């Protein structure tokens, strides 16, 4: 089977993929050059700046990044992400969304090309969210690598990529790590709580946002709100066992 696959690949070489990276940014001057360098090999890098008061825009442009500026009011992450996706050319095959405090690993393009079989619309890959003492500590699956058409970002915060109505999703997966996260711990999370409360008001059935809202309440010490929200998250059966276990732990800690 391996020899037959190699024979077919030789006879019918794949057309090179057009892979574009896109992001949103605001006051990320300290990360801009590192972000741009990690995207080397992309067919295009596109950033929507939403109001930087520092040198973010200038640094990105110096490194060849296509930057456009826009004001999003009232602020929502899903609106900003969808606006940034619009910057990607319509003929792109693959769109890869990362943040300015994230970096693509060396060899990232080959990882995508090897995993992106014909017909693929979304790629699941590994993402290192947290490092401890310079070593990966918290790694999980991510899916922000997708086809140019058929997808939109949903939810005001902790936004998720979702197929549009009627679009047939064809997933692929790789065990390789594609993205590393190196955040700025000094950045404020003040906007998260009101946006999560908005997300739950907009969609009472969105258990994902309800879980994140309960977790956010623990961050600000609103213990009873955390208990009530996480218990309502747990009330329906099903869901991701690891996330449900986490909710139970946060309820116990809140008590």
């Amino acid at each position: 089977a391996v020899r037959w696959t190699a024979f077919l690949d030789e006879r019918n070489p794949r057309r090179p993929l057009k892979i574009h990276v896109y992001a949103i940014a605001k006051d990320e001057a300290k990360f801009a050059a590192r972000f741009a360098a990690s995207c080397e090999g992309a067919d295009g890098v596109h950033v929507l700046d939403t109001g930087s008061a520092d040198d973010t825009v200038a640094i990105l442009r110096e490194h060849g990044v296509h930057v456009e500026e826009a004001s999003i009011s009232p602020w929502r992450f899903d609106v900003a992400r969808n606006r940034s996706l619009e910057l990607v050319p319509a003929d792109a095959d693959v769109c890869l969304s990362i943040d300015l405090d994230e970096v693509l690993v060396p060899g990232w393009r080959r990882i995508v090309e090897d995993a992106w079989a014909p017909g693929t619309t979304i790629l699941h890959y590994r993402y290192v969210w947290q490092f401890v003492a310079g070593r990966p500590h918290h790694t999980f699956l991510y899916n922000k690598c997708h086809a140019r058409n058929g997808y939109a970002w949903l939810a005001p915060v902790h936004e998720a990529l979702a197929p549009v109505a009627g679009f047939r999703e064809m997933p692929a997966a790789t065990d390789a790590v594609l993205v590393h996260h190196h955040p700025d711990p000094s950045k404020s999370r003040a906007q998260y709580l009101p946006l999560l409360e908005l997300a739950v008001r907009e969609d009472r059935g969105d258990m994902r946002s309800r879980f994140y809202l309960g977790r956010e309440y623990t961050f600000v010490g609103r213990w009873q709100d955390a208990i009530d929200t996480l218990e309502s998250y747990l009330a329906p059966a099903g869901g991701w066992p690891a996330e449900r276990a986490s909710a139970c732990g946060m309820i116990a800690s809140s008590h």
Side-chain angles (χ1 to χ4, degrees), residues 10-203:
E10 184 179 342
R11 283 295 186 92
N12 303 287
R14 295 184 189 179
R15 176 180 61 83
L17 293 173
K18 295 179 181 178
I19 306 176
H20 288 252
V21 177
Y22 70 104
I24 59 176
K26 183 178 180 180
D27 295 331
E28 299 282 6
K30 67 172 67 175
F31 297 135
R34 185 187 69 183
F35 159 85
S38 81
C39 297
E40 183 178 0
D43 293 289
V45 183
H46 314 271
V47 173
L48 182 75
D49 187 272
T50 60
S52 292
D54 62 10
D55 294 329
T56 299
V57 172
I59 294 170
L60 289 171
R61 286 175 174 161
E62 286 172 8
H63 287 79
V65 177
H66 168 215
V67 183
E68 293 194 16
E69 301 172 70
S71 175
I72 309 296
S73 182
W75 173 258
R76 296 177 59 113
F77 281 94
D78 53 356
V79 172
R81 299 268 183 216
N82 286 322
R83 290 281 297 275
S84 68
L85 175 56
E86 291 172 3
L87 303 180
V88 178
D91 66 349
D93 298 303
V94 183
C95 301
L96 180 51
S97 173
I98 68 172
D99 287 330
L100 269 285
D101 64 356
E102 297 171 339
V103 295
L104 294 166
V105 301
W108 68 269
R109 184 179 178 106
R110 182 61 183 270
I111 292 171
V112 174
E113 290 173 334
D114 286 349
W116 195 273
T120 297
T121 66
I122 192 163
L123 176 65
H124 299 265
Y125 54 89
R126 296 197 178 276
Y127 169 77
V128 181
W129 180 77
Q130 184 183 43
F131 289 81
V132 173
R135 299 177 64 85
H137 179 69
H138 189 170
T139 301
F140 54 86
L141 289 176
Y142 240 29
N143 66 341
K144 295 183 178 182
C145 185
H146 60 94
R148 173 62 181 85
N149 300 305
Y151 287 93
W153 292 93
L154 303 177
V157 66
H158 289 304
E159 61 284 6
L161 193 67
V164 300
F167 181 74
R168 185 183 178 188
E169 195 169 48
M170 295 293 289
T174 176
D175 286 331
V177 171
L178 192 63
V179 181
H180 289 171
H181 183 219
H182 299 287
D184 180 357
S186 67
K187 274 216 161 184
S188 171
R189 296 178 56 90
Q191 63 184 328
Y192 278 49
L193 182 54
L195 288 174
L196 282 167
E197 291 175 329
L198 173 63
V200 172
R201 288 197 303 271
E202 285 185 344
D203 186 354

